[in-house]
Amino acid sequence: MTEITVDDSVREGYDAVRDDSREENWCVFGYADDVNGGDPNTIVFQSSGSGGYDEFAATLAAWDGKRGYGFLRQTSGDELSARAKFVFVSWVPDNTPIRKRAAVSTHKGFVKDVVKDFAIELHATDMDDMSLEEIQKGLKKAGGANYGSSSS
């Protein structure tokens, strides 16, 4: 198995999204050969933003045939227990070459050595796999108690 290098820029992007004092709420990482023409065995920071799910999803959707990883901050819970929760996404669009698709399952572990704290993990091959509804459903399930007001 080929050794994969996770560039320090990945940790910096991850730390920015986890930092409550920063405005970034998502970031994506990709293989250097796709991002900057670099080493195909190096994973690097690609971009980040503060536009939430919509901006995050649009960024990944634009990666035509390119695999990568994403990290997203979402607010989860109800009015009495709202808190930040994090989502880790491995992104492998259907039109990614088969050899590159196959490598993601083993390479993901190298990324998860850096991106450690998240409530849910998704593997997405199209936008339906990581729809906002799927993310919210997963976060609710992972979140435990739901203390919101109820009507009976």
Side-chain angles (χ1 to χ4, degrees), residues 44-119:
V44 297
F45 172 84
Q46 198 269 336
S47 62
S48 65
S50 58
Y53 171 81
D54 290 338
E55 190 176 64
F56 173 73
T59 299
L60 288 177
W63 282 21
D64 188 35
K66 297 177 184 174
R67 64 207 161 133
Y69 307 90
F71 189 64
L72 173 68
R73 172 192 288 262
Q74 283 287 108
T75 301
S76 181
D78 52 47
E79 64 276 5
L80 299 176
S81 64
R83 60 211 171 275
K85 291 291 184 181
F86 299 91
V87 180
F88 176 70
V89 176
S90 54
W91 174 251
V92 187
D94 288 329
N95 60 344
T96 303
I98 190 72
R99 183 181 53 77
K100 289 185 173 189
R101 291 173 64 85
V104 169
S105 63
T106 55
H107 296 172
K108 183 174 22 176
F110 291 97
V111 178
K112 288 167 65 174
D113 284 342
V114 174
V115 179
K116 295 181 179 195
D117 299 314
F118 48 87

Side-chain angles (χ1 to χ4, degrees), residues 20 29 36 41 77 96 99 105-106 152:
D20 291 337
F29 322 114
N36 60 23
N41 296 316
T96 303
R99 183 181 53 77
S105 63
T106 55
S152 37

